[in-house]
Amino acid sequence: RMRSQIFGDSDLFGDPAWDMLLDLYIASGEGKRVPVTSACIGAAVPTTTALRWLTMLEDRGLVVREHDKHDARRIFVRLTADAETKMASYFTRSFSPCSRAGNARLTDADIEHDDPPSFMLGK
């Protein structure tokens, strides 16, 4: 949301899937459960659009929906363990000094493991 505020144009940064992943990652770190309705609101798009994106994330194994044990009307959504690992890896690598060097690119092997990216190992 800060990007939209700084640039003064909310239409420049429409990325509902990323907004959902960020929201769920932050909630996980804070030990909070996120209802589907809240995840949709956090995406800053119409609810039907957000639900389509949520389904896409679920189909790709990045989020799971869980029924509330105390209220059958409510469903929570959370990141899968794989998505949590990938989000942590993204932030670790995005903010490391080596990630800004040249045109370094991550390989699939880098993403699948917690090892340092190949460009950091001189591969």
Side-chain angles (χ1 to χ4, degrees):
R1 303 290 168 254
M2 188 183 331
R3 295 179 303 188
S4 295
Q5 291 173 351
I6 290 170
F7 285 88
D9 189 345
S10 61
D11 293 335
L12 289 175
F13 305 104
D15 200 349
W18 184 245
D19 289 343
M20 286 181 184
L21 290 171
L22 286 173
D23 187 38
L24 294 171
Y25 185 69
I26 292 166
S28 175
E30 294 174 345
K32 295 180 181 176
R33 297 181 80 191
V34 178
V36 167
T37 52
S38 294
C40 290
I41 291 168
V45 292
T47 302
T48 54
T49 302
L51 288 170
R52 279 194 305 272
W53 279 103
L54 192 57
T55 298
M56 184 268 306
L57 292 171
E58 187 175 30
D59 290 346
R60 286 176 170 75
L62 297 172
V63 301
V64 292
R65 297 180 206 216
E66 301 172 326
H67 291 279
D68 185 343
K69 296 174 186 170
H70 305 290
D71 186 346
R73 298 168 296 174
R74 186 166 45 184
I75 298 173
F76 293 104
V77 62
R78 66 172 175 80
L79 294 178
T80 62
D82 182 48
E84 290 237 6
T85 299
K86 288 177 179 178
M87 292 294 287
S89 178
Y90 169 79
F91 288 114
T92 299
R93 293 173 184 178
S94 292
F95 296 105
S96 85
C98 293
S99 68
R100 296 184 192 98
N103 292 322
R105 295 200 173 135
L106 297 177
T107 66
D108 288 340
D110 295 328
I111 293 169
E112 293 173 8
H113 305 289
D114 272 344
D115 300 326
S118 59
F119 66 84
M120 293 176 77
L121 300 173
K123 291 182 182 177

